[in-house]
Amino acid sequence: MIRLHLAAPLVLLVALQGCSPSSSARPSVALLIVGSMGKTAGRMYQPRAIAVDPASGGFYVADRSGRILQYDGSGKPLREWFLPEYANGQPVGIALESDGNLLVNDSHYHRILRYSHDGTTLIGQWGTEGKGPGQFTFGRDIVVDRERFIYAGDYGGQNDRIQKFSRDGRFMLEWGGCGEEPGKFQRPQGMAVDPTGAEETILVADCSNHRVQRFTREGKWLSSLGRLGVGPGELRYPISVTVGADGTVYVCEWGNHRIQGFDASGRFRGFWGQAGRAPGELSHPWDVAVGPGGKIYVADCDNNRVQVFRWSLQGLALDAAGAPAESRHP
């Protein structure tokens, strides 16, 4: 097994031979690895949120040093900036708006921040501490639908819910509450907007209930997938979710150190990943996102890196598709 001991910023192109959910082997999967442990320029310290530019493949990372880091599509560091405050804790949710501005759910400061795409300007903010409309206990993820409505997760103190805002931060509605029944949450950690159906829907990684729930944009419960376990189709602390252009739902499992794929109806299609430091292995991944060309970006938190994959789901295996991701910055 290959192990990486990373002492400097790294962008690496490698190939992985893995195992399918059955006993047969998967084809090789090409991937790009970006990052190494550190708090200086270009390095990462426990990345916990990622947002990808759908046009360029460039991406933003929020890490536990209180920074936002920006990279181009090949993994080259472009710039970074610190949040206004971060001593109390760091954000776990970021999202790009269609105009290129970046939203940050500033978890431990109970607010939403809006930055220009290059981080030079804090354009606006809203939110205060509390349990009322537009307030937050500990903010979680943040996503934006095609009409530019904003959805922000919150949890703590029986305040597990999703809030919906207009683009200017005006509170619209909320749904959820702490519990195990359908439509309730125990730590609604990650979210995704699914644009592939007749109507956009909102997916929520209901972390401590070990499931992913689907809602309308008005908060009406539609369906759930997953249950506690380690087998195919089972989940252990799902912490993030994203949706591919074909409707494939990718679930990032903090507890099982892997990514699972489901079709739009919630049927299990395949999984990949195991605990470790080698290329292709994961250590408590925190976020997953889809970029241009169907590339999958994973914030590999405790390995202090981002891994980028090109996958398609064929039966129960994750097969290589197309050319590997490329790097011009070895």
Side-chain angles (χ1 to χ4, degrees), residues 284-309:
H284 294 121
W286 265 78
D287 205 1
V288 62
V290 175
K295 294 178 184 177
I296 310 298
Y297 297 66
V298 180
D300 189 7
C301 180
D302 286 351
N303 282 325
N304 305 290
R305 64 190 180 185
V306 168
Q307 298 198 62
V308 185
F309 306 87

Side-chain angles (χ1 to χ4, degrees), residues 11 13 28 85 117 123 126 132 167 179 204 250 265 293:
V11 176
L13 180 66
S28 294
E85 300 169 275
H117 76 281
I123 298 172
W126 68 89
R167 185 178 181 276
V204 181
Y250 297 96
S265 66

Side-chain angles (χ1 to χ4, degrees), residues 3 74 242 269:
R3 292 201 176 273
S74 67
T242 192
R269 297 294 307 279

Side-chain angles (χ1 to χ4, degrees), residues 45-65:
Y45 176 65
Q46 295 189 323
R48 300 200 297 177
I50 188 167
V52 181
D53 185 326
S56 70
F59 58 97
Y60 297 79
V61 172
D63 79 356
R64 291 195 69 183
S65 66

Side-chain angles (χ1 to χ4, degrees), residues 18 33 48 50-51 73 138 146 161 168-169 187 194 208 219 230 234 249 256 258 262 272 276 295 316 318:
I33 299 177
R48 300 200 297 177
I50 188 167
F138 290 106
R146 67 164 62 103
R161 60 179 177 170
D168 60 3
R187 189 168 180 159
D194 184 354
S208 295
V230 299
E234 296 176 333
V249 176
N256 283 329
R258 67 183 180 185
F262 299 83
W272 166 87
K295 294 178 184 177
L316 294 181
L318 292 168

